[in-house]
Amino acid sequence: MFNKWYAINGITNELFDAWKNDLRSDILWWKEPEEETQLRIRLPLIEAIKMRILIRQFNKKNMMSLQLVRM
């Protein structure tokens, strides 16, 4: 009921191809010609905060720049 849409930014097409079988089932994704893969997820506030923390931890370990951005 209080869920908001979020974009997951920073995933390249190569990274997406490696991860697509392991992504959560509630993540919507699509590819457009000549562009990076787009990922969207609908989350409640608490889950979004948890996911942002997990993404920051992942970024530190893997030298990446993934982001969860509210739409």
Side-chain angles (χ1 to χ4, degrees):
M1 179 175 197
F2 296 107
N3 296 349
K4 302 286 183 191
W5 282 103
Y6 294 87
I8 302 171
N9 296 335
I11 295 182
T12 64
N13 287 334
E14 294 81 20
L15 188 58
F16 174 75
D17 289 338
W19 285 1
K20 70 179 170 184
N21 294 328
D22 298 323
L23 289 176
R24 291 172 44 154
S25 61
D26 57 344
I27 293 178
L28 304 176
W29 60 270
W30 64 92
K31 287 186 179 185
E32 295 193 18
E34 309 281 330
E35 291 187 20
E36 296 294 327
T37 304
Q38 304 290 317
L39 284 88
R40 303 287 187 269
I41 188 167
R42 192 171 177 152
L43 297 169
L45 179 61
I46 299 299
E47 290 297 317
I49 292 168
K50 288 179 186 177
M51 185 172 276
R52 279 193 176 131
I53 291 168
L54 292 172
I55 287 174
R56 284 187 192 136
Q57 290 172 349
F58 176 82
N59 287 342
K60 286 180 183 178
K61 287 181 184 177
N62 297 291
M63 303 292 276
M64 305 240 350
S65 61
L66 301 179
Q67 297 177 335
L68 184 69
V69 180
R70 186 170 156 209
M71 299 184 67

